[in-house]
Amino acid sequence: MDFKKLSGSLLFRIVVAIILGIIASFIFHGSGWGVAISRIFVTFNGLFGNFLGFFIPVLIFALIAPAIASLGRGAGKWLGITTAIAYVSTIISGFIAYGIALSLYGWLLAGNSTAKVDDIDAGALQPYFEIKMPAPMDVMTALLLAFTVGVAMTAVKSDTLFRGTQDLQRVIMHVISGFIIPLLPLYIFGMFLSLGMNGNLINTLSAFGKVLLLAVIMTWIILVGQYIIAGLIAGKNPFTSLKNMLPAYATALGTSSSAATIPITYGCAKKNGVTDAVAGFVIPLCATIHLSGSIQKIALFAFAIVWMDGMDLPPTMAIGFILMLGIFMIAAPGVPGGAIMAAVGLLQSMLGFDDDQVALMIAAYIAIDSFGTACNVTGDGAIAMVVNKFARGDIKRTAELAESSPLDYQAEAAASVSKDS
């Protein structure tokens, strides 16, 4: 085993941070010096959480605006059609997660609740200081602005502004991969340290352990459903087609990166009879916009927190959350943990999650990030089969997309991050 490579993995660092946070919480609990040290990490978490609140609206605009603008460029109508298929596949996965939550959480999570920092003795873990970081706009304003600017760029063919949004997207991707992702383990450590100080951490971990296992099982159920549908449309055996995609599944499981798995996914899709042109177009595109496994995990975890904390979530709000989350998944950066970072704004604005709940979401998501990624890339093969059935004569060259769509920046950034992840 390459320990150097393992120690550089984001998942490895997150797991270590969780373990150390739990151990430290038992050591520090009940002692004055322990509380004093813990307050340092609470201070950091407050600052980091405030920065996320400031940064998320900027992230939303920077990712979604050029993604929408690209639909009017590139590979013609099939770019829009493939994006629509990816979106429908993604939100169906989200609705399945909602149905599972309604059906199973009543008994699966009965008697469980998440631990809260506020449950500790009043004033015990207050930060030493706070710095307010007001966001330049709220999440919905950022989303509406991104849609408006993106559609306008498509209509007027503003190449200068389009290239500017591409550059902004690259800058934001660099902030995510070079600043936010490296600091996540410290953020997670502080969160588990804080949760452990109130003595209810075991209850939270046991409840989320059930949800983690459920999420892993659901990824395979989703894949079987996707390939049954694709097999019916393409006239192929769905289970043979799914079997042909197993190398891509295994590669994604090991790398946690859709972009790093593109060459393997491309080869597997060709085994299913997909032409070179269609595979070369659909696979790189879907590596950044098709996140059926990611939305399923986020939805299952979010609804679990809502259930355990007794939060109010009317069906109309849950449906709206899934529909909006599907859009955020299409524009999510293709780096390990990128999907959950893109979803933070929705979790806060639509579900009312606080910093502790967001941190718990991030930890749970990254804990099984590779399973969601494997589901994403394997599902890309099913979309390729469908597009191949109808568009093999229209899609000639991969370069039609690569030369004009900003989505390749996400793939490049993901591939560079995956070298260390």
Side-chain angles (χ1 to χ4, degrees):
M1 178 181 293
D2 189 342
F3 181 77
K4 182 178 180 181
K5 182 177 180 181
L6 177 63
S7 62
S9 163
L10 176 61
L11 173 59
F12 177 81
R13 297 196 299 269
I14 291 292
V15 171
V16 170
I18 292 173
I19 294 174
L20 292 179
I22 294 172
I23 294 175
S25 70
F26 289 115
I27 295 175
F28 295 164
H29 185 72
S31 65
W33 62 270
V35 170
I37 295 176
S38 298
R39 289 179 63 191
I40 296 175
F41 295 100
V42 171
T43 302
F44 168 80
N45 276 26
L47 296 175
F48 190 77
N50 287 345
F51 175 78
L52 287 181
F54 159 80
F55 180 70
I56 291 302
V58 182
L59 178 150
I60 290 170
F61 174 80
L63 296 183
I64 293 181
I68 292 175
S70 70
L71 296 180
R73 303 161 181 259
K77 67 177 182 179
W78 288 106
L79 178 58
I81 292 173
T82 305
T83 302
I85 294 173
Y87 175 74
V88 171
S89 173
T90 299
I91 63 170
I92 287 176
S93 180
F95 283 125
I96 291 174
Y98 180 51
I100 291 296
L102 291 177
S103 303
L104 300 182
Y105 282 178
W107 64 268
L108 185 66
L109 302 179
N112 293 117
S113 63
T114 60
K116 292 282 190 180
V117 176
D118 293 340
D119 294 337
I120 309 173
D121 294 338
L125 282 183
Q126 298 299 317
Y128 285 111
F129 63 91
E130 296 182 21
I131 299 178
K132 300 296 183 182
M133 303 180 193
M137 65 190 85
D138 60 35
V139 170
M140 291 307 300
T141 300
L143 184 61
L144 290 173
L145 183 62
F147 268 103
T148 303
V149 174
V151 171
M153 283 191 289
T154 299
V156 303
K157 305 297 182 184
S158 175
D159 293 334
T160 301
L161 183 57
F162 184 62
R163 287 193 295 269
T165 58
Q166 287 182 319
D167 287 339
L168 177 61
Q169 184 185 53
R170 297 174 68 186
V171 170
I172 295 303
M173 288 287 295
H174 184 73
V175 173
I176 294 172
S177 61
F179 178 72
I180 292 179
I181 297 297
L183 288 178
L184 279 181
L186 185 58
Y187 185 56
I188 299 301
F189 170 84
M191 188 271 292
F192 274 89
L193 170 63
S194 299
L195 294 182
M197 294 284 280
N198 68 3
N200 293 327
L201 183 60
I202 301 301
N203 184 49
T204 300
L205 292 180
S206 64
F208 249 79
K210 302 172 188 175
V211 181
L212 290 174
L213 179 60
L214 176 63
V216 172
I217 295 173
M218 284 303 302
T219 59
W220 272 100
I221 294 177
I222 289 171
L223 284 176
V224 170
Q226 288 174 340
Y227 275 86
I228 288 176
I229 295 173
L232 290 173
I233 295 174
K236 295 182 178 295
N237 186 313
F239 298 102
T240 300
S241 300
L242 182 55
K243 180 182 177 181
N244 289 337
M245 295 298 300
L246 289 181
Y249 184 92
T251 303
L253 206 61
T255 63
S256 293
S257 172
S258 298
T261 314
I262 286 175
I264 308 299
T265 312
Y266 174 83
C268 292
K270 289 176 62 179
K271 287 183 180 180
N272 285 332
V274 179
T275 65
D276 289 350
V278 173
F281 167 75
V282 173
I283 297 303
L285 175 62
C286 286
T288 57
I289 68 172
H290 181 227
L291 281 78
S292 57
S294 298
I295 193 175
Q296 178 257 350
K297 289 190 304 175
I298 293 173
L300 283 177
F301 298 154
F303 294 142
I305 290 178
V306 167
W307 181 273
M308 289 190 290
D309 287 352
M311 302 170 67
D312 184 34
L313 183 65
T316 52
M317 182 181 294
I319 292 172
F321 171 72
I322 293 170
L323 293 175
M324 293 296 294
L325 188 58
I327 296 174
F328 279 52
M329 292 299 95
I330 286 179
V335 298
I340 186 62
M341 296 311 304
V344 166
L346 275 185
L347 294 171
Q348 294 174 330
S349 64
M350 293 193 71
L351 301 187
F353 279 20
D354 59 26
D355 289 344
D356 293 335
Q357 292 167 326
V358 167
L360 187 58
M361 284 285 301
I362 294 173
Y365 181 92
I366 293 177
I368 59 170
D369 187 27
S370 59
F371 287 96
T373 302
C375 180
N376 295 339
V377 302
T378 307
D380 295 346
I383 294 179
M385 290 169 58
V386 174
V387 175
N388 186 74
K389 173 69 175 179
F390 301 107
R392 67 172 69 194
D394 292 342
I395 298 177
K396 300 296 185 183
R397 293 175 55 83
T398 309
E400 288 183 277
L401 171 66
E403 290 175 356
S404 58
S405 173
L407 294 172
D408 60 333
Y409 288 123
Q410 296 183 0
E412 291 173 6
S416 65
V417 173
S418 68
K419 295 176 182 177
D420 299 323
S421 300

